[in-house]
């Protein structure tokens, strides 16, 4: 039986792994909390795990609502989309003006915009909050990205700062900005996550197919990298995956897993939103596309029977030198993935009037979240020095690092192409960089073509105005 109390300071709707873990985290820090779920098993699990704390699970939503102190503070952790609207529709009549409702799931930011307006009209405080860190982060300290009603956030601030991950004693949570900014920033976080995961997958394939390395050696390399400048959560879990055997066997579970990746949609949303903002993020776009391509297993198998894979040749050269180049290449592409995401946030801040503090966002990503890494200290430093930095690659310290990595990324991309090994995110990252540093791109030809077939006009160097040419007219 949970420790009894008359009232609970915080309520959670949705007692899956994340919701239950967050409540128990709050209980660890001395807060009396309640949870509601329609699944009796999940309610029972909360009551069992929270046995020694002021924690209580409810199956009846009315009892749950009445158990909370006023003004009530309730977080929803349910699947994005219609489930969130259903919960809001059920809760709204039971709440009083001034109560606080928080969406802690991965809702699309446009849905959050709509809900902000709808609930504000009912006198309810509402904000969307991205939560990152998975089950372990939720239980031991996540990174949280709340945006929207600032007064409502300030009420919740003591709880969130208490349960957040800590880096240098600073909590990994901060007020992001107005409207749906919290969910927008979490979406971009997930896009960066897609990019880095794809880069790790390509790194694995280069080692396995190109360098003919066995699983043990690949795992050792990932572990060695994680002890150095590439240290990150995603690399840390990857080296663990290379040590986990399938139960009752002497081979890796990894080798038994289908090569068909799934997705919940946040990567796709990031790509779509980036195109709306005209913020190019080709590393993320490629990662989304590769997850989609992986699902066409039957087509890929047929193609493999038609097109010989004999050109999957071993990458020749000194293996340790090649691994040194690969470490440089991965560091380079990881930086590019972050740089693209931060540029997208910069554009969104201006377009949607979020007034994002990019240094604070980098600061709270240093702990608790899935994309935490040692390099985020560099990002935090760059935007701390210059809050108006237009692009991460323009920072002096970052540019020094990137320049030092160029030999490695060029060597790896060339070697992968010559060996017939797909490395699309590596190639996209390098091409993005080479285009970004081009003072003059070949886009003048694109403009000429657009004017030729569609009279879309063009601009001239050193002249004001727009121009159109009859390209088929006879010239003197």
């Amino acid at each position: 039986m949970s420790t009894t109390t008359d009232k609970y300071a915080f309520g959670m709707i949705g007692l899956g792994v994340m919701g239950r873990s967050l409540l128990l985290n709050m209980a660890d820090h001395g807060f009396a909390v309640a949870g509601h779920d329609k699944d009796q098993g999940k309610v029972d699990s909360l009551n069992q795990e929270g046995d020694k704390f002021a924690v209580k699970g409810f199956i009846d939503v009315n009892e749950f609502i009445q158990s909370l102190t006023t003004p009530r503070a309730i977080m929803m952790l349910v699947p994005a989309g219609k489930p969130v609207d259903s919960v809001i529709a059920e809760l709204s009549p039971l709440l009083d003006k001034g109560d606080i409702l928080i969406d802690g799931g991965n809702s699309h930011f446009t849905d959050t915009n709509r809900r902000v307006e709808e609930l504000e009209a009912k006198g309810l405080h509402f904000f969307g909050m991205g939560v990152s860190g998975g089950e372990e982060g939720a239980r031991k300290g996540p990174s949280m990205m709340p945006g929207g009603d600032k007064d409502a956030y300030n009420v919740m601030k003591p709880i969130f700062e208490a349960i957040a991950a800590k880096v240098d004693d600073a909590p990994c949570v901060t007020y992001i900005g107005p409207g749906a900014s919290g969910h927008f920033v979490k979406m971009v976080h997930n896009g960066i996550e897609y990019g880095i995961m794809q880069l790790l997958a390509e790194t694995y394939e280069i080692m396995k197919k190109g360098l003919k390395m066995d699983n043990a050696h690949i795992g050792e390399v990932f572990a060695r990298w994680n002890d150095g400048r590439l240290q990150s959560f995603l690399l840390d879990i990857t080296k663990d995956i290379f040590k986990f055997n399938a139960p009752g066997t002497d081979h890796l579970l990894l080798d038994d897993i289908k090569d068909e990746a799934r997705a919940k949609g946040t990567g796709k949303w990031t790509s779509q939103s980036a195109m709306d903002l005209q913020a190019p993020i080709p590393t993320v776009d490629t990662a989304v596309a590769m997850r989609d391509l992986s699902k066409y297993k039957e087509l890929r198998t047929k193609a493999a029977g038609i097109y010989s894979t004999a050109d999957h040749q071993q990458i020749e050269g000194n293996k340790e030198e090649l691994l040194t180049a690969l470490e440089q290449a991965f560091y380079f592409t990881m930086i590019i993935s972050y740089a693209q995401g931060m540029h997208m946030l910069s554009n969104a801040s201006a377009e949607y009037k979020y007034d994002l503090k990019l240094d604070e966002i980098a600061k709270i990503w240093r702990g608790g979240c899935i994309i935490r890494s040692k390099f985020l200290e560099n990002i935090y430093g760059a935007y701390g020095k210059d809050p108006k930095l237009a692009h991460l690659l323009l920072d002096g310290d970052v540019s020094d690092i990137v320049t030092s990595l160029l030999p490695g990324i060029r060597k790896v991309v060339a070697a992968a192409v010559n060996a017939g090994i797909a490395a699309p995110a590596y190639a996209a990252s390098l091409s993005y960089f080479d285009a970004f540093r081009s003072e003059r791109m070949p886009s003048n030809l694109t403009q000429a073509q657009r004017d030729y077939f569609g009279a879309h006009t063009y601009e001239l160097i050193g002249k004001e105005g727009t121009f159109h040419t009859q390209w088929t007219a006879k010239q003197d």
Side-chain angles (χ1 to χ4, degrees):
M1 184 70 179
S2 300
T3 302
T4 57
T5 184
D6 291 335
K7 290 286 186 177
Y8 298 90
F10 185 87
M12 180 74 69
I13 303 281
L15 299 179
V17 170
M18 288 290 289
R20 188 170 69 251
S21 296
L22 277 172
L23 277 185
L24 293 171
N25 186 352
M26 293 175 187
D28 283 343
H29 288 85
F31 298 101
V33 293
H36 164 68
D37 201 289
K38 296 182 185 300
D39 185 327
Q40 184 68 54
K42 292 178 180 177
V43 171
D44 292 342
S45 292
L46 175 65
N47 287 330
Q48 289 166 10
E49 292 184 58
D51 182 53
K52 297 179 182 178
F53 302 102
V55 176
K56 186 174 177 62
F58 294 86
I59 196 79
D60 184 278
V61 69
N62 287 284
E63 289 183 20
F64 164 74
I65 294 294
Q66 293 306 312
S67 76
L68 301 173
T69 57
T70 56
R72 302 176 184 89
I74 301 171
M75 181 189 291
M76 301 174 289
L77 265 177
V78 298
K82 291 182 179 178
V84 177
D85 288 321
S86 296
V87 171
I88 290 174
E90 182 182 18
L91 285 182
S92 294
L94 306 176
L95 300 178
D96 298 322
K97 287 186 177 182
D99 286 348
I100 298 169
L101 195 56
I102 305 158
D103 180 5
N106 279 330
S107 289
H108 195 288
F109 76 101
T110 55
D111 287 339
T112 303
N113 283 332
R114 169 175 56 81
R115 291 166 186 147
V116 166
E117 293 180 5
E118 291 173 356
L119 290 168
E120 193 175 84
K122 295 179 180 180
L124 297 173
H125 297 284
F126 175 79
F127 64 89
M129 181 170 74
V131 180
S132 180
E135 178 182 1
E136 183 177 0
R139 187 68 183 85
K140 298 179 181 179
S143 175
M144 293 173 285
M145 295 148 259
D149 190 319
K150 191 170 186 178
D151 291 337
Y153 168 69
N154 284 332
V155 172
M156 301 308 306
K157 185 177 177 180
I159 294 180
F160 291 149
E161 289 193 343
I163 69 168
K166 308 293 189 301
V167 175
D168 299 331
D169 294 325
C172 292
V173 59
T174 190
Y175 178 72
I176 297 296
S181 59
H183 276 148
F184 189 94
V185 169
K186 176 56 164 48
M187 177 188 72
V188 175
H189 165 286
N190 285 21
I192 296 169
E193 176 185 312
Y194 269 63
I196 296 173
M197 290 175 71
Q198 175 63 27
L199 292 165
L200 282 166
E202 292 178 17
T203 305
Y204 160 53
E205 182 154 54
I206 289 168
M207 285 194 275
K208 194 172 187 69
K209 289 182 178 177
L211 301 182
K212 308 299 181 186
M213 293 166 55
D214 60 26
N215 287 330
H217 193 185
I218 294 172
E220 289 169 6
V221 170
F222 281 138
R224 186 168 72 243
W225 287 0
N226 193 54
D227 288 335
R229 60 184 179 177
L230 300 184
Q231 192 281 321
S232 65
F233 173 77
L234 285 170
L235 194 51
D236 193 44
I237 67 170
T238 301
K239 59 104 168 131
D240 287 347
I241 289 168
F242 276 87
K243 293 188 289 189
F244 195 93
N245 284 344
T249 74
D250 60 356
H251 68 266
L252 292 185
L253 175 60
L254 177 65
D255 290 337
D256 293 341
I257 297 176
K258 289 183 176 180
D259 61 330
E260 299 172 65
R262 295 182 182 178
K264 289 187 175 180
T266 48
K268 177 185 71 175
W269 294 345
T270 309
S271 288
Q272 291 171 331
S273 298
M275 290 180 186
D276 290 338
L277 290 165
Q278 297 182 16
I281 55 168
T283 307
V284 179
D285 297 339
T286 300
V288 174
M290 289 302 102
R291 287 204 195 186
D292 289 342
L293 183 58
S294 77
K295 297 166 188 171
Y296 290 92
K297 177 70 172 181
E298 185 177 347
L299 290 178
R300 291 189 289 113
T301 300
K302 287 180 179 178
I306 297 171
Y307 301 100
S308 171
T309 56
D311 61 342
H312 283 169
Q313 303 296 322
Q314 182 167 346
I315 297 174
E316 299 296 335
N318 181 282
K319 187 169 290 186
E320 284 307 311
E321 290 180 3
L322 289 166
L323 285 173
T324 296
L326 188 57
E327 188 266 356
Q328 293 177 346
F330 178 75
Y331 194 20
F332 174 91
T333 49
M334 182 180 75
I335 291 172
I336 295 298
S337 189
Y338 281 120
Q340 291 173 8
M342 299 308 284
H343 187 221
M344 180 176 175
L345 289 179
S346 180
N347 282 24
S349 184
E351 178 68 20
Y352 302 135
K353 297 179 172 56
Y354 285 158
D355 191 26
L356 298 179
K357 308 293 189 295
L358 297 186
D359 60 330
E360 289 295 307
I361 292 170
K363 183 180 179 181
I364 66 169
W365 282 352
R366 296 178 305 159
C369 74
I370 302 299
I371 64 169
R372 63 185 185 265
S373 70
K374 183 178 288 189
F375 184 71
L376 273 159
E377 293 287 354
N378 299 76
I379 301 176
Y380 176 41
Y383 288 103
K385 285 184 298 182
D386 182 4
K388 297 187 181 299
L389 182 66
H391 197 289
L392 184 63
L393 294 180
L394 299 181
D395 175 76
D397 293 334
V398 171
S399 66
D400 287 344
I401 296 172
V402 168
T403 301
S404 73
L405 303 173
L406 286 172
I409 181 63
R410 296 198 188 285
K411 184 172 185 176
V412 167
V413 170
V417 170
N418 287 331
I421 297 170
Y426 269 98
S429 300
L430 179 57
S431 291
Y432 171 87
F433 170 78
D434 282 334
F436 180 78
R437 72 191 185 102
S438 296
E439 186 174 358
R440 184 168 174 82
M441 291 176 64
S443 308
N444 52 328
L445 176 58
T446 304
Q447 282 300 88
Q449 291 167 334
R450 293 179 71 246
D451 188 61
Y452 189 117
F453 65 69
H456 294 299
T457 73
Y458 53 84
E459 295 169 292
L460 288 171
I461 299 169
K463 287 188 178 182
E464 291 293 324
T466 57
F467 302 87
H468 168 59
T469 293
Q470 292 293 336
W471 295 86
T472 56
K474 186 176 181 180
Q475 292 182 283
D476 294 332

